[in-house]
Amino acid sequence: MSHYVIRLDDACPTMNHANWNRMECLLDKYSIRPIVGVIPENQDPDFAWKNDKSFWERVHFWQEKGWSIAVHGLHHRMHEHEPGKGYYQKSHGKHTEFAGVPYEEQLAMLKEGTQILKAHGITPESFFAPAHTYDANTIKALKLISDIKYVSDGYALQAYRKDGMIFIPSICDGPFVMPFGLYTYVFHPSVMTEAAFVRLEKFLQANSFKVTDVDRAMERIRRNQGISGHLIENSIYAARGFRLMRKTRRKKK
Ligand SMILES: [Zn+2]
């Protein structure tokens, strides 16, 4: 049987509050406890809705409800990075906040991000990087941040341990109905369309009994990514590369 974890990205004081309210109501209706990625100190101009002064109280409330709070980067401000070079998970992405940044600097960024949340009374228990891009130094640094129990990322059909860190895999955005395995379906509430909300509600109507939380997702942890994980990582990387190539060719025509 398959299980699904819901993840919400890019929570910050200037997120799209109407959409986030809608998402929260929807998840409450089905008693779902998602992972929510909070940007400690947002500097991304894409999130420029009204500033909510009570934002941190809201995050506190989420934590009380059992939502799993993740440190989502530090500023969500990206620099360019050569795709395919040194990423921890294979990616064609050109933008990153962490990859390529020296280890000491990454450690300082992660400490700062965690501290900002803690200063607001929040205890984050996981991390995931903006744009899914980070490197081995990110994992090395994360292991020194005592509250961080897992990373929401990676390719596999079950939670796994790699380099001393637990990964709850996030293969695709979804939501899709799958025959078996564990899937994290990622949503960006601030920019979700009406159609995306309707699709999610329909999915939950039929499948909410298969939606789990991170504690249950971590009950069974593989010792490593496994052959299936490597296969999925390479297949998705190849498929995305092929799609990118076709897109670039079409642009040139
Ligand atoms: Zn993000």
Side-chain angles (χ1 to χ4, degrees):
M1 161 141 151
S2 51
H3 287 102
Y4 314 115
V5 172
I6 302 290
R7 188 179 102 184
L8 310 179
D9 285 26
D10 304 327
C12 62
T14 50
M15 64 194 187
N16 178 341
H17 301 285
N19 274 17
W20 274 83
N21 292 344
R22 185 172 177 180
M23 177 59 92
E24 188 169 352
C25 284
L26 190 55
L27 298 186
D28 283 349
K29 185 174 165 187
Y30 293 95
S31 308
I32 290 164
R33 291 182 294 170
I35 301 170
V36 56
V38 178
I39 305 168
E41 196 178 70
N42 179 55
Q43 292 180 7
D44 187 332
D46 282 354
F47 310 124
W49 284 267
K50 195 170 170 274
N51 184 31
D52 176 12
K53 290 196 181 81
S54 59
F55 171 76
W56 293 103
E57 284 163 37
R58 188 169 188 182
V59 181
H60 212 268
F61 178 64
W62 290 340
Q63 186 156 268
E64 302 262 288
K65 280 204 288 189
W67 290 22
S68 181
I69 311 295
V71 180
H72 182 41
L74 174 59
H75 300 126
H76 213 279
R77 197 182 51 202
M78 318 276 186
H79 59 265
E80 291 233 354
H81 186 84
E82 197 178 331
K85 283 265 162 82
Y87 285 145
Y88 194 74
Q89 315 281 355
K90 287 188 174 177
S91 169
H92 297 281
K94 287 181 190 162
H95 297 101
T96 185
E97 187 176 17
F98 285 84
V101 175
Y103 167 72
E104 294 295 340
E105 215 174 303
Q106 288 203 47
L107 180 60
M109 287 163 75
L110 292 168
K111 277 185 181 167
E112 191 183 342
T114 313
Q115 261 329 104
I116 291 172
L117 265 63
K118 286 192 141 188
H120 288 289
I122 315 295
T123 309
E125 55 180 20
S126 72
F127 169 85
F128 60 88
H132 297 267
T133 48
Y134 54 101
D135 60 20
N137 279 333
T138 320
I139 300 301
K140 191 176 155 193
L142 274 172
K143 284 192 284 185
L144 296 181
I145 312 288
S146 54
D147 295 301
I148 303 297
K149 287 193 243 163
Y150 70 93
V151 169
S152 166
D153 204 18
Y155 297 93
L157 296 176
Q158 194 182 316
Y160 63 95
R161 198 181 294 274
K162 188 178 169 189
D163 298 327
M165 178 55 72
I166 293 169
F167 291 83
I168 296 187
S170 162
I171 297 174
C172 52
D173 285 355
F176 306 110
V177 175
M178 299 301 229
F180 55 87
L182 172 72
Y183 302 85
T184 303
Y185 291 143
V186 177
F187 298 90
H188 297 79
S190 284
V191 292
M192 267 174 80
T193 60
E194 176 65 29
F197 273 112
V198 170
R199 186 177 167 214
L200 174 60
E201 169 113 52
K202 271 191 185 156
F203 175 82
L204 293 177
Q205 272 166 1
N207 301 286
S208 67
F209 69 101
K210 289 186 186 173
V211 178
T212 187
D213 58 28
V214 292
D215 291 330
R216 276 173 42 215
M218 284 196 291
E219 274 172 7
R220 285 174 59 217
I221 298 172
R222 279 183 71 113
R223 255 182 306 165
N224 54 46
Q225 192 180 9
I227 296 171
S228 56
H230 282 292
L231 215 64
I232 294 165
E233 180 167 4
N234 286 307
S235 312
I236 290 179
Y237 183 69
R240 284 180 183 154
F242 184 65
R243 229 174 24 218
L244 258 172
M245 202 170 72
R246 275 184 30 191
K247 229 190 207 167
T248 323
R249 269 201 203 146
R250 268 205 302 270
K251 266 189 197 159
K252 278 182 187 162
K253 273 181 191 168

